[in-house]
């Protein structure tokens, strides 16, 4: 018995040395405890204010973190404006006319800078704001690991090629998330973020007019706000049931063929992820736990730490 205990402890430390240093070891939950103790409460207040003004902003701030982490890791590269030296990610296909919340992040950054200049990274603000947005809309909380630093360049080409897209089939979605280290189960859990937020007609038009695996009454209701031509920017909720509450209704909708985007319904369309969708549709607590754990893992994607990167004074430009 003693041997097994010791060997398992050894395995843990070996694992930690191999993987912990790169993924978890340099980030910590109390990173700003002494250097900026009011950082997290300041961000939380700003998020709550933004979300109370416009519920959709919660989804937008969550999505900013996701689009940041999937391209070169969680390094706030998504926030950089174009410069003479590089093209930022804001105009990349998946982001242009789509990502929003930049001004809200600017507000949080300036507030945090006023109490602790040059201490809190934009990348950490994105991670905390994503968590606080989910909580503000009734979703689960999680402990955000902190200590990321900000990139000094952006990944325009990567943003165009590595972000999962709304038109993807299941196999491509699985590959896209697997390339970032996520299991199918984690991909399904993270997709549950679509229980909040809105989507442009342009993105789901093809589905509601040409696909058959969609509830006909639901498709008809969507057509009233999304004609076959024109109205590209008209918005509809990703979750038709409870659009401003972070719950498991997204998965119930999929089971009922009410996924608004092609990629959503792919998760419940006779494939390998059907059973996970069913589980989450029946068990909100399981979904919330899995979502929180997957968000922690996503927040640990290739962070810049130590002497890498910088702490940007202005999230939109390098120092």
């Amino acid at each position: 018995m003693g041997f097994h205990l010791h060997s398992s402890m050894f395995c843990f430390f070996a694992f930690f040395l191999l993987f912990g240093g790169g993924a978890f070891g340099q980030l910590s939950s109390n990173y700003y405890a002494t250097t900026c103790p009011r950082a997290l409460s300041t961000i939380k207040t700003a998020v709550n204010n933004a979300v109370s003004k416009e519920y959709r902003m919660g989804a937008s701030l969550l999505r900013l973190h996701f689009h940041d982490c999937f391209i070169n890791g969680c390094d706030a590269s998504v926030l950089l404006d174009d410069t003479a030296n590089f093209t930022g990610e804001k105009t990349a296909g998946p982001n242009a006319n789509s990502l929003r919340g930049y001004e809200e992040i600017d507000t949080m950054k300036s507030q945090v800078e006023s109490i602790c200049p040059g201490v809190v990274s934009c990348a950490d603000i994105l991670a905390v704001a994503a968590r606080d947005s989910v909580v503000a809309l009734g979703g689960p909380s999680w402990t955000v690991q902190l200590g990321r630093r900000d990139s000094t360049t952006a990944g325009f080409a990567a943003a165009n090629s590595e972000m999962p897209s709304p038109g993807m089939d299941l196999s491509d979605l699985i590959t896209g998330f697997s390339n970032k280290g996520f299991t199918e189960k984690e991909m399904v859990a993270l997709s549950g973020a679509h229980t909040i937020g809105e989507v442009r007609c342009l993105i789901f038009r093809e589905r509601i007019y040409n696909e058959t695996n969609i509830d006909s009454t639901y498709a008809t209701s969507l057509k009233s706000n999304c004609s076959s031509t024109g109205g590209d920017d008209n918005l509809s909720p990703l979750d038709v049931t409870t659009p401003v509450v972070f719950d498991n209704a997204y998965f119930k909708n999929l089971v009922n063929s009410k996924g608004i985007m092609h990629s959503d319904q792919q998760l419940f369309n006779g494939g390998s992820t059907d059973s996970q969708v069913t589980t989450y549709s029946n068990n909100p607590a399981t979904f919330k736990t899995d979502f929180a754990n997957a968000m922690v893992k996503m927040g640990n994607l290739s962070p810049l730490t130590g002497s890498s990167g910088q702490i940007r004074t202005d999230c939109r430009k390098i120092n």
Side-chain angles (χ1 to χ4, degrees), residues 270-293:
S272 59
T273 51
D274 281 19
S275 59
Q276 195 59 50
V277 170
T278 302
T279 296
Y280 290 154
S281 72
N282 291 325
N283 197 324
T286 301
F287 160 56
K288 289 186 174 184
T289 298
D290 288 356
F291 179 81
N293 289 335

Side-chain angles (χ1 to χ4, degrees), residues 27 65 69 74 127 145 148 182 294-301 303:
L27 302 183
H65 180 46
C69 291
C74 310
Q145 299 296 308
R148 299 168 192 79
F182 293 105
M295 286 298 295
V296 172
K297 181 171 175 177
M298 188 179 82
N300 281 306
L301 284 175

Side-chain angles (χ1 to χ4, degrees), residues 170-251:
L170 181 60
S171 59
D172 291 328
L173 290 167
I174 290 170
T175 300
F177 277 81
S178 175
N179 287 344
K180 303 296 177 183
F182 293 105
T183 64
E184 283 188 32
K185 179 179 172 181
E186 288 166 336
M187 176 191 73
V188 175
L190 288 171
S191 299
H194 289 170
T195 188
I196 53 173
E198 297 181 330
V199 58
R200 297 157 68 215
C201 162
L202 175 70
I203 303 298
F204 62 87
R205 176 184 284 127
E206 173 76 16
R207 170 154 166 74
I208 64 173
Y209 285 97
N210 296 317
E211 295 186 11
T212 54
N213 61 343
I214 183 169
D215 178 87
S216 57
T217 307
Y218 177 52
T220 300
S221 70
L222 288 168
K223 288 173 183 175
S224 65
N225 193 40
C226 183
S227 58
S228 54
T229 55
D232 283 1
D233 292 332
N234 292 353
L235 296 167
S236 290
L238 284 157
D239 167 6
V240 67
T241 317
T242 49
V244 297
V245 180
F246 195 99
D247 55 16
N248 69 328
Y250 167 80
F251 299 104

Side-chain angles (χ1 to χ4, degrees), residues 1-19:
M1 187 74 177
F3 171 76
H4 285 296
L5 276 173
H6 286 300
S7 64
S8 64
M9 285 298 287
F10 172 78
C11 288
F12 171 78
F13 285 118
F15 174 84
F16 183 79
L17 289 170
L18 276 171
F19 301 104

Side-chain angles (χ1 to χ4, degrees), residues 41 76 108 222 279 310:
S41 60
M108 294 171 210
L222 288 168
T279 296
Q310 60 181 212

